[in-house]
Amino acid sequence: MELDVIQNKIFEIRGFKVMLDFDLALLYNIENKRLKEAVRRNINRFPNDFMFELVEIEFNSLRTQIATSSRGGLRYMPFAFTEQGIAMLSSVLKSKKAIHMNITIMRAFVMMRQFALTYHELSEKLLELENKSYLKT
């Protein structure tokens, strides 16, 4: 799977970069219902900085960016998993597909972080050059 496909499924909510349960279930090739069951059975592994349930206003603000179920909407608000929560999923979902996808997802998060750092460094250097050119005039 292409990393950019995964990166397009990463959203920022509550200051966290997260992936939603139904996107993860699709990537892991399992039913979303099964993913949620596994998480609920192991809820102590998922503190609030690993996983949280969206509230309706958060979900509505994402609605234009994500697909809803074929029944015309979601019956339950999705779980949002941070990078650490997704890593924890590998201890709960033990299929080879889940392990492989977790590795790929972790790589996508790392690439996004590296891009953000590079972008930030580049912005600082451009600002520095801009300031130097203004000082000369």
Side-chain angles (χ1 to χ4, degrees), residues 3 17 19 30 41 44 51:
L3 290 177
K17 297 275 190 217
M19 291 185 73
I30 62 172
R41 280 194 308 266
N44 59 331
M51 186 268 309

Side-chain angles (χ1 to χ4, degrees), residues 25-129:
L26 186 67
L27 292 171
Y28 296 148
N29 199 27
I30 62 172
E31 291 181 46
N32 191 29
K33 178 180 176 178
R34 300 296 169 231
L35 184 140
K36 284 187 164 195
E37 284 173 354
V39 169
R40 285 191 180 108
R41 280 194 308 266
N42 296 279
I43 199 67
N44 59 331
R45 293 178 185 245
F46 296 95
N48 290 337
D49 58 332
F50 282 29
M51 186 268 309
F52 53 88
E53 190 168 7
L54 296 186
V55 294
E56 192 169 344
I57 195 165
E58 291 169 325
F59 180 68
N60 288 338
S61 71
L62 289 174
R63 194 176 289 273
T64 59
Q65 301 173 46
I66 57 178
T68 56
S69 78
S70 59
R71 295 180 185 212
L74 297 174
R75 288 180 278 185
Y76 303 101
M77 288 294 109
F79 289 157
F81 292 88
T82 66
E83 186 175 353
Q84 293 85 359
I86 294 166
M88 187 59 72
L89 277 174
S90 66
S91 70
V92 174
L93 305 172
K94 299 181 184 205
S95 73
K96 287 183 181 181
K97 175 76 172 178
I99 292 167
H100 171 73
M101 284 312 305
N102 266 30
I103 291 167
T104 306
I105 292 167
M106 292 300 110
R107 287 181 177 146
F109 273 97
V110 168
M111 283 183 64
M112 287 180 72
R113 240 189 332 274
Q114 288 171 341
F115 175 78
L117 288 173
T118 302
Y119 178 80
H120 180 71
E121 291 168 358
L122 183 60
S123 294
E124 285 180 347
K125 288 182 183 189
L126 285 173
L127 186 60
E128 188 179 305
L129 287 172

